[in-house]
Amino acid sequence: PPPPPPGLEPDQSLEPQVTIRKQGENTVEEYRIGGRLYMVKITPPNGTPYYLIDEKGDGRFTRQDSYDTGTRPPMWVIHQF
């Protein structure tokens, strides 16, 4: 795509810095903004990836198996034509 017009470039300070490394057999991706670690994605060699997320910014990470919150809106058929 063509570059954005001058003055409308994205703010690079808002782009996350991603560091990918191997820890044992796992692949670990660390996501930082402004030098602050806020999320870690861990991908085991034979499993599904999971995330450790610092939700409050206090350095305490909670495990989340996916970004899917599990919340589903109620869906039912009201009328069929």
Side-chain angles (χ1 to χ4, degrees), residues 25-29 40-52 63-68:
E25 292 185 3
N26 295 336
T27 302
V28 178
E29 300 174 35
V40 179
K41 177 182 177 184
I42 301 169
T43 307
N46 298 324
T48 57
Y50 61 94
Y51 299 85
L52 299 175
R63 181 175 173 159
Q64 189 171 356
D65 290 318
S66 70
Y67 276 128
D68 183 12

Side-chain angles (χ1 to χ4, degrees), residues 21-61:
R21 62 184 172 86
K22 293 291 266 184
Q23 185 175 13
E25 292 185 3
N26 295 336
T27 302
V28 178
E29 300 174 35
E30 297 176 342
Y31 293 82
R32 289 180 169 80
I33 289 184
R36 187 180 67 81
L37 180 65
Y38 69 93
M39 181 175 72
V40 179
K41 177 182 177 184
I42 301 169
T43 307
N46 298 324
T48 57
Y50 61 94
Y51 299 85
L52 299 175
I53 299 175
D54 182 8
E55 295 175 347
K56 297 180 182 177
D58 60 359
R60 295 182 184 194
F61 290 85

